[in-house]
Structure formats: structure tokens, C-alpha cells
């Protein structure tokens, strides 16, 4: 007996924000409708049911780390 295969949708990019240091904060909408974000400067990854575009905008406005070489 085999287990049923469930397809998982990839996150969709909903916003790309630049930081003052030139890094990028990308906001994704996950398959369950929640948002997540990651920053190429400090490496912060955020996921919670309470992440909002405003959360990512605040991070982009305050992160002062330049893009990491492997993340840029």
C-alpha cells in the first residue's frame, strides 16, 4: 500500500523591498496563506501568522547590514 501524494505549492513572492544598505527583504505568501520574509543582509527569516507587509517594511527600513556575498 502506498501513501497518497500531496502536492505542495511553492511560496509566491508578494513584495521585494530594498534596505538602506542595499540588501533585499523578500516577502512570500505561503500555500496556507501566511506570510514569510527573508533578508539578504542580516539573514533574518521570519514566519508567523502575524507577519504582515508592514513587518517586512519595518525590517527593510532598519536593517543596516549590506548584502551577504552568497545571498546577493
Amino acid at each position: 500500500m502506498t501513501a497518497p501524494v500531496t502536492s505542495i505549492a511553492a511560496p509566491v513572492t508578494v513584495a521585494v523591498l530594498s534596505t538602506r544598505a542595499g540588501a533585499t527583504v523578500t516577502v512570500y505568501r505561503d500555500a496556507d496563506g501566511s506570510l514569510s520574509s527573508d533578508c539578504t543582509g542580516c539573514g533574518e527569516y521570519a514566519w508567523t501568522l502575524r507577519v504582515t507587509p508592514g513587518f517586512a517594511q519595518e525590517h527593510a527600513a532598519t536593517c543596516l547590514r549590506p548584502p551577504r556575498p552568497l545571498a546577493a
Side-chain angles (χ1 to χ4, degrees):
M1 187 155 129
T2 59
V5 176
T6 303
S7 63
I8 299 174
V12 176
T13 301
V14 295
V16 177
L17 309 166
S18 296
T19 68
R20 293 186 291 171
T24 301
V25 176
T26 306
V27 182
Y28 305 95
R29 181 165 310 280
D30 300 314
D32 64 0
S34 64
L35 297 178
S36 60
S37 65
D38 63 29
C39 178
T40 62
C42 69
E44 177 182 86
Y45 173 80
W47 176 89
T48 176
L49 294 175
R50 294 184 178 159
V51 167
T52 64
F55 175 88
Q57 289 170 342
E58 181 179 328
H59 182 81
T62 59
C63 184
L64 300 175
R65 298 189 76 181
R68 294 172 291 143
L70 296 176

